[in-house]
Amino acid sequence: MDLDDLPLAEFAFPGPLRDKLVGAILSGAKTSTTGLLAGYERANEPLPEVGHLSAVVDSAGRRVAVIELTEVRVIRLADVDLRHALDEGEGDESVAQWRAGHETFWHSAEVREELGDPDFTVDDDTLVVTERFRLVHVV
């Protein structure tokens, strides 16, 4: 498997949060993630598919691991369950705690800029893409 041929899996933006998330992936604590459907639509990107392999990159842009998607769902934000929240590996102990952290990220200037909407906010009906993955290879 040539890591250079795989599409990139970039978690958050480069910096401390990305480094924390990549560390959780490498340790096996993080096996799920959540993105905004609006982000895929804005970038005109297809949704990820089960079986898809990608190279996880750290803040320096180094390919540090390979993950394989095992589940992809589009659901309402209100329908994210505790199992998914815990499997994100960020230390959240409840869905409310998980959601508060994600809302802070999704309401950040960086995400709003990426979406092209300075007033973007989420609510219970916001569609999110939940992904479950497994660690295939660590560099």
Side-chain angles (χ1 to χ4, degrees):
M1 164 184 339
D2 188 350
L3 267 64
D4 292 334
D5 293 336
L6 294 176
L8 301 181
E10 298 177 284
F11 291 82
F13 296 103
L17 178 57
R18 177 177 288 178
D19 294 336
K20 175 184 172 186
L21 298 177
V22 169
I25 292 167
L26 296 176
S27 75
K30 182 172 181 62
T31 59
S32 69
T33 194
T34 309
L36 296 167
L37 181 61
Y40 288 94
E41 293 172 342
R42 170 77 176 168
N44 199 27
E45 291 181 10
L47 292 179
E49 296 180 7
V50 170
H52 179 88
L53 295 174
S54 56
V56 176
V57 295
D58 64 13
S59 289
R62 293 182 301 250
R63 296 167 189 253
V64 297
V66 176
I67 56 173
E68 177 185 10
L69 290 179
T70 60
E71 179 182 272
V72 178
R73 298 182 305 153
V74 176
I75 61 174
R76 295 172 51 241
L77 181 56
D79 296 330
V80 172
D81 60 22
L82 181 60
R83 177 176 171 231
H84 181 81
L86 295 175
D87 289 347
E88 285 220 12
E90 296 179 44
D92 297 320
E93 297 177 355
S94 68
V95 173
Q97 187 180 23
W98 170 89
R99 182 166 169 169
H102 279 69
E103 284 189 16
T104 297
F105 177 74
W106 290 330
H107 294 160
S108 69
E110 295 90 349
V111 170
R112 287 175 170 167
E113 181 179 333
E114 192 173 78
L115 293 174
D117 182 352
D119 300 316
F120 177 79
T121 58
V122 298
D123 61 28
D124 283 350
D125 292 324
T126 299
L127 294 178
V128 296
V129 180
T130 63
E131 300 174 43
R132 187 164 296 284
F133 55 84
R134 70 181 188 91
L135 184 61
V136 175
H137 176 74
V138 175
V139 177

